[in-house]
Amino acid sequence: MREVGAAVGYSHATLYSFFHDKGELLARLAEDSLQTLLTRLQGAADGAAAGGEPAAVARAFVQWGLQHPHDYRLLMLDTPMALRESLIAGLDALIAPAALPAARAAALWAGLHGLVMLEQGGLAALGGAPVRARRLEALLA
């Protein structure tokens, strides 16, 4: 909390007047990240419905995860299960129009998550954007 306070220009004691503890602060950040991600994905889904391609949601998911690595890791690794369930429900709702069987949809999201995590772990240096694009297209196929 001291580091957060210093980064935003408040004392750590002031932060405790807004958040009970670090866990509450992280949960709030995760909620905000979840809404941002779902809004971005809904925009991609709306674009797909207006003549784009259904894979736009998957591409937007990967792009957001790579552009916001800290938010992505917070959402995927460091949040309470209830928030992750909200994320999964939101993702399921966005891919439902693609009429994928449930098992295939789950495998797709697992693959997309794996791709983002590998890229965040430094795999991008092993081929960069062209290799990432090929991996993403292989998942979508």
Side-chain angles (χ1 to χ4, degrees):
M1 292 295 273
R2 288 182 192 278
E3 289 178 37
V4 172
V8 297
Y10 288 99
S11 74
H12 71 282
T14 301
L15 292 178
Y16 284 109
S17 66
F18 297 102
F19 303 102
H20 177 64
D21 59 16
K22 180 181 170 185
E24 187 178 330
L25 170 64
L26 290 174
R28 174 62 187 270
L29 291 171
E31 289 172 12
D32 290 349
S33 294
L34 174 62
Q35 288 309 310
T36 300
L37 173 58
L38 291 177
T39 298
R40 166 90 59 98
L41 298 181
Q42 186 62 57
D46 292 345
E53 55 184 23
V57 174
R59 288 187 182 94
F61 179 83
V62 170
Q63 182 182 37
W64 187 87
L66 296 176
Q67 289 174 341
H68 305 278
H70 298 294
D71 295 275
Y72 188 87
R73 292 182 69 81
L74 177 65
L75 272 178
M76 298 298 174
L77 304 175
D78 298 328
T79 56
M81 184 57 75
L83 197 58
R84 275 186 263 162
E85 288 172 354
S86 294
L87 172 62
I88 292 166
L91 295 174
D92 286 346
L94 288 167
I95 61 170
L100 289 177
R104 246 181 110 192
L108 173 60
W109 286 120
L112 294 171
H113 171 65
L115 177 62
V116 172
M117 293 303 296
L118 287 170
E119 290 283 328
Q120 286 185 3
L123 189 62
L126 301 174
V131 172
R132 178 186 330 121
R134 284 196 302 273
R135 286 186 181 111
L136 180 55
E137 293 312 311
L139 281 170
L140 295 172

